[in-house]
Amino acid sequence: MKTPEVTEMIKKMSFKEKVSYIWDYYKIHIIIGLALIIGITSFVHGQIVKPKAYYNISYIGDYINPNYCSLIQKDLNKTILNNDKKNSISVDSIFIDKNSIQQNPYALQKLAARISAKDLDFAIVNKKFFDTNFSSGMFYNLQSLKGFSSLSKDNYEFITKTNSSGHLGVYGISAKNSTVLNKLHFPNNDNMLVVISSSERKDKALGVINALLKK
């Protein structure tokens, strides 16, 4: 707080002296204020230019090299989005121990959190994981997808299963013959494509399936 004496002294100072005085006594406040302005500006700019999530895909199973996921991600962003910078398709992996999924509770918690947050749209899983989690309702009946009838049984191997209500449906498609997904270098050959039931982007699923299973 300025005293009358200090106020009077400042009035008599030249502009250069006033600047020097303010800097000497308030430089910490000025630096903090500038840092806050820069930080807020940078955050807002980042949110503006950040690509919008178009579709999120995870490989769930044994460990694979993250670089393989990057290759698939690059392919899909080119094939489906034409490298549109405003949108992005993400492809990552969630490592589940091959011997017992109960041995990796962290991965299961991460998976459950993403499903609950509707952050996971699509997955590539092995038969063991599929059979273990089918009764939980994790997977969506692909026959309910608009345009599903355009997929020919001659070209795709459908995975059928009877749900808790006794209805038979298609809940997965074999990834065995996919030249695109072979870039993941699967540690086994019983992987399949599934749509996550909680996904809010089911309208995009068919396009992703066609892109992943193209010959």
Side-chain angles (χ1 to χ4, degrees):
M1 185 176 180
K2 298 186 183 72
T3 63
E5 293 79 7
V6 172
T7 301
E8 188 63 30
M9 179 186 69
I10 294 175
K11 286 182 179 180
K12 295 178 180 179
M13 291 180 179
S14 65
F15 176 76
K16 185 177 181 180
E17 289 173 332
K18 288 178 180 178
V19 171
S20 178
Y21 175 84
I22 292 171
W23 176 249
D24 287 340
Y25 284 91
Y26 299 102
K27 59 184 173 184
I28 294 178
H29 301 79
I30 294 172
I31 292 172
I32 292 175
L34 288 174
L36 286 172
I37 292 172
I38 293 172
I40 293 172
T41 302
S42 177
F43 174 78
V44 172
H45 178 264
Q47 293 301 306
I48 292 174
V49 301
K50 181 180 179 181
K52 181 181 178 182
Y54 180 89
Y55 212 68
N56 297 323
I57 304 169
S58 284
Y59 167 78
I60 304 171
D62 296 340
Y63 175 81
I64 60 171
N65 191 321
N67 291 330
Y68 299 156
C69 292
S70 296
L71 290 175
I72 305 297
Q73 179 171 303
K74 185 177 180 181
D75 277 351
L76 292 180
N77 277 285
K78 180 179 180 180
T79 302
I80 297 176
L81 301 181
N82 294 315
N83 292 323
D84 176 13
K85 301 300 182 183
K86 295 181 180 180
N87 296 281
S88 69
I89 296 173
S90 70
V91 181
D92 59 20
S93 64
I94 300 176
F95 171 52
I96 303 292
D97 190 279
K98 65 180 179 180
N99 296 316
S100 171
I101 60 173
Q102 299 303 324
Q103 292 181 5
N104 197 349
Y106 172 76
L108 295 178
Q109 290 171 7
K110 176 183 177 182
L111 176 61
R114 291 188 62 187
I115 291 175
S116 178
K118 300 180 181 180
D119 180 51
L120 183 59
D121 303 303
F122 196 93
I124 304 149
V125 303
N126 58 39
K127 186 178 185 302
K128 179 179 179 180
F129 184 88
F130 177 80
D131 290 339
T132 301
N133 292 277
F134 180 79
S135 61
S136 70
M138 183 184 295
F139 312 118
Y140 187 69
N141 185 352
L142 302 183
Q143 289 175 308
S144 298
L145 294 175
K146 184 178 180 180
F148 176 78
S149 58
S150 64
L151 299 180
S152 171
K153 290 184 178 181
D154 295 331
N155 298 323
Y156 304 103
E157 182 182 336
F158 296 148
I159 311 300
T160 59
K161 196 90 170 176
T162 301
N163 64 17
S164 58
S165 301
H167 297 128
L168 184 68
V170 176
Y171 290 89
I173 302 178
S174 173
K176 193 181 300 181
N177 299 318
S178 170
T179 55
V180 176
L181 289 174
N182 281 341
K183 295 177 183 178
L184 287 176
H185 299 279
F186 291 125
N188 47 54
N189 62 359
D190 63 352
N191 295 284
M192 62 189 79
L193 312 181
V194 295
V195 173
I196 303 301
S197 293
S198 64
S199 170
E200 295 182 333
R201 306 181 180 99
K202 295 184 182 74
D203 58 315
K204 300 177 175 65
L206 201 64
V208 173
I209 290 172
N210 283 322
L212 289 175
L213 296 180
K214 67 180 181 181
K215 304 296 182 182

